Amino acid sequence: MRDLLDIKLFSQSFEKIQNPVQKLDNAKRIAQMYSQFENCIAVLSDMKARNSFLYYGALASQLGLAAQDQEIKSIWEDQLLSKVHPEDLQKKYRLEFQFFQHLHNTDTEERMDYEVITKLRIKNKEGKYVLIRHRLLYISSSDDGSIWLALCLYHMIYDHPEFEIPQGIIINNKSGKIIEQNEAQFKVLLSPREKEILQLIKHGQRSKEIADKLALSINTINRHRQNIFQKLNVSNAMEACRMAETMGLV
């Protein structure tokens, strides 16, 4: 049990574990233990396989979610995210985007020092907004250095004057350094042409139709599509449209 607690508290480095299956199994145990010990919701996302493992503690029933562990073929826990206030969802996505951008430029040995903390309004089973503390933690990278595993934790914020949770920050939990949110980067994240193409995709137009409309080659349109997907960290047009709209990019 002490070994499992050590894993839960991140006292050992996942990067030292060479076997990917073992890394994933350890990460799944962490997520499950958080949900059980802290009665929270834990979501482990495999950014490479584009799937997630959901572990629902007691908080799930308060939010009207079925309290059962499951695997979904997406890195977006839509059943839960659909309950988040739209303004807070935009804040969450923007912070997470900046967080992953920061991690890409950080040595793998230092990535576990950073986390995102966000205060969210989420509808409970009565349809009323309650305050939830959301944390996003880095777990492990792929062999090529790209982010592989990330863990989201959702905890209830109880009504007490001493429970102070920031609206949304990226913090180095080793040094206490705060990474300020960079709103300016979202204004230039997508080029005007990419925004134009994304709007046309949103209206159901296919690459050939977009190419004809903009007098561009279909290869150019497809290249823009792939650039959009890469910038937004999505795998298809539907996710791209939803993410861009939620983040206030279009």
Side-chain angles (χ1 to χ4, degrees), residues 91-100 103 113-119 133-138 151-153 166-173:
K91 174 180 63 180
K92 176 181 182 293
Y93 282 162
R94 288 191 169 200
L95 272 171
E96 290 180 354
F97 177 84
Q98 184 175 339
F99 176 67
F100 286 122
L103 291 186
D113 295 337
Y114 291 93
E115 66 176 292
V116 174
I117 303 175
T118 318
K119 182 188 291 185
R133 180 185 66 170
H134 167 258
R135 296 173 64 203
L136 171 60
L137 308 169
Y138 159 87
L151 179 64
C152 282
L153 301 171
Q167 291 297 327
I169 61 170
I170 299 172
I171 185 171
N172 183 310
N173 51 38

Side-chain angles (χ1 to χ4, degrees), residues 83-133:
K83 292 176 171 287
V84 180
H85 191 286
E87 292 177 0
D88 294 351
L89 191 59
Q90 180 182 102
K91 174 180 63 180
K92 176 181 182 293
Y93 282 162
R94 288 191 169 200
L95 272 171
E96 290 180 354
F97 177 84
Q98 184 175 339
F99 176 67
F100 286 122
Q101 290 292 101
H102 179 75
L103 291 186
H104 282 307
N105 297 316
T106 301
D107 291 340
T108 55
E109 296 80 10
E110 299 177 7
R111 288 176 176 174
M112 291 187 73
D113 295 337
Y114 291 93
E115 66 176 292
V116 174
I117 303 175
T118 318
K119 182 188 291 185
L120 302 175
R121 290 166 289 178
I122 299 184
K123 286 183 179 180
N124 63 13
K125 59 184 178 182
E126 285 83 31
K128 298 179 180 180
Y129 282 113
V130 294
L131 293 180
I132 300 293
R133 180 185 66 170

Side-chain angles (χ1 to χ4, degrees), residues 58-70:
L59 174 61
S61 61
Q62 297 179 53
L63 300 181
L65 301 172
Q68 60 181 7
D69 300 344
Q70 59 179 310

